């Protein structure tokens, strides 16, 4: 019989000292969120670039408009195409046994944990672009001064099921959430 070598299973890394208690936000958003964010960005960047180019084409346009356009073009295209992938990589969520957790942020990372006992309302939002991509946003509202926790970029069906499940779990606690 061949000799088997077993590698020791590494112990899980301890939570950093600043990590809040509760579920770890390990679930990614739906991948279609990248295309939704890209479309949103293009709908903002394209008109701005078109306006600068149109102004630069006017007969009495200042000479600095073309260099400004040359700088804004790569910045705008880079923003429109790259930031959605970064957001997808950073944003996470989780609905554990006792709390909802969401991680987000660009330069400043935010990790919010909402215990079920503190949930006051659950909302689902589907804007026109979100509907086009089959996505939803779930907002968990509490009495916290930090405001609601929104998880945007979830599959429609998953968001509906999540709100239904969380509603039942919160209702089962028989607490008013204040």
């Amino acid at each position: 019989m061949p000799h088997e070598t077993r590698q020791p299973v590494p112990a899980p890394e301890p939570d950093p000292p600043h990590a809040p208690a509760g579920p770890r936000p390990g679930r990614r958003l739906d991948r279609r969120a990248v295309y939704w964010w890209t479309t949103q960005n293009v709908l903002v960047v394209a008109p701005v670039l078109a306006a600068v180019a149109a102004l630069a084409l006017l007969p009495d346009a200042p000479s600095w408009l073309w260099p400004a356009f040359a700088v804004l073009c790569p910045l705008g295209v880079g923003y429109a195409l790259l930031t959605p992938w970064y957001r997808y990589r950073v944003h996470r969520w989780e609905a554990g046994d006792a709390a909802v957790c969401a991680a987000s942020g660009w330069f400043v990372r935010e990790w919010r944990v909402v215990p079920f006992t503190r949930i006051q309302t659950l909302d689902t939002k589907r804007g026109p672009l979100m509907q086009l991509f089959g996505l939803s946003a779930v907002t968990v509202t509490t009495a916290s001064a930090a405001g609601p926790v929104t998880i945007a970029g979830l599959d429609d069906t998953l968001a509906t099921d999540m709100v239904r499940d969380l509603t039942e779990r919160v209702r089962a606690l028989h607490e008013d959430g204040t």
Side-chain angles (χ1 to χ4, degrees):
M1 201 187 273
H3 183 272
E4 290 183 30
T5 6
R6 291 190 176 198
Q7 297 292 329
V9 177
E13 292 183 30
D15 287 339
H18 63 283
R24 295 181 140 279
R27 297 183 68 172
R28 286 186 186 257
L29 301 173
D30 193 289
R31 192 169 181 98
R32 291 173 291 175
V34 173
Y35 306 111
W36 167 54
W37 288 321
T38 302
T39 304
Q40 283 181 316
N41 290 351
V42 167
L43 290 174
V44 171
V45 169
V48 170
L49 292 177
V52 172
L55 287 174
L57 290 171
L58 292 175
D60 295 332
S63 60
W64 56 266
L65 274 177
W66 281 116
F69 180 75
V71 168
L72 287 176
C73 223
L75 289 176
V77 171
Y79 170 80
L81 300 179
L82 298 177
T83 59
W85 290 102
Y86 180 74
R87 286 179 78 175
Y88 180 73
R89 195 179 128 252
V90 171
H91 292 169
R92 299 274 191 278
W93 69 278
E94 193 70 51
D97 294 334
V100 175
C101 183
S104 63
W106 291 85
F107 298 113
V108 177
R109 302 281 172 91
E110 181 180 51
W111 182 356
R112 304 266 314 270
V113 178
V114 180
F116 289 166
T117 57
R118 305 300 297 163
I119 294 176
Q120 292 185 334
T121 61
L122 293 160
D123 300 303
T124 305
K125 177 182 173 183
R126 295 178 182 102
L129 276 179
M130 291 177 103
Q131 291 177 35
L132 180 68
F133 289 99
L135 299 171
S136 293
V138 172
T139 302
V140 181
T141 306
T142 69
S144 169
V149 173
T150 300
I151 304 166
L154 298 173
D155 176 72
D156 277 340
T157 306
L158 176 65
T160 303
D161 292 345
M162 179 180 164
V163 168
R164 186 178 307 120
D165 178 57
L166 290 175
T167 301
E168 291 303 318
R169 290 160 77 177
V170 170
R171 186 177 297 145
L173 292 175
H174 300 294
E175 294 185 21
D176 66 355
T178 59

